[in-house]
Amino acid sequence: MAPSEGKVVTVGVTGASGAILAQAALRLLDADPHVAQVHLVVTETGVRLFAHELGIVAADPKQLPALITGTRTTKIEVLSNKDVGASIASGS
């Protein structure tokens, strides 16, 4: 399957306990050939959750996908939770 034919998935991490589940989901989505792109939205509390539960701390949010999955990935794109004009936002 060509990447242009794959699914686009949005994953939100809000800070509710379960960083390990978000990590597992992102690893599976990244490895799935049927998934072309993953939009990752992490709130400030979600960032704290990754740090507290998994010891993952990123100076730059764009580093999060590689730190979370443990691999270099171009499939996962981090979007700001404050960007009302993001590609996944309603009406854009």
Side-chain angles (χ1 to χ4, degrees):
M1 173 178 286
S4 62
E5 298 173 19
K7 302 281 185 189
V8 177
V9 179
T10 300
V11 175
V13 180
T14 63
S17 188
I20 193 78
L21 298 176
Q23 183 180 52
L26 289 168
R27 284 178 175 166
L28 290 169
L29 290 168
D30 190 46
D32 189 336
H34 296 101
V35 176
Q37 186 173 22
V38 178
H39 298 292
L40 175 61
V41 182
V42 183
T43 66
E44 290 84 0
T45 310
V47 169
R48 287 179 50 205
L49 177 74
F50 280 124
H52 179 73
E53 293 188 2
L54 300 177
I56 294 173
V57 179
D60 178 358
K62 301 293 182 192
Q63 297 172 332
L64 273 174
L67 294 171
I68 293 168
T69 63
T71 62
R72 250 183 105 181
T73 178
T74 58
K75 192 186 284 191
I76 302 173
E77 175 188 11
V78 177
L79 299 174
S80 170
N81 70 310
K82 295 180 182 180
D83 185 1
V84 297
S87 60
I88 63 169
S90 176
S92 59

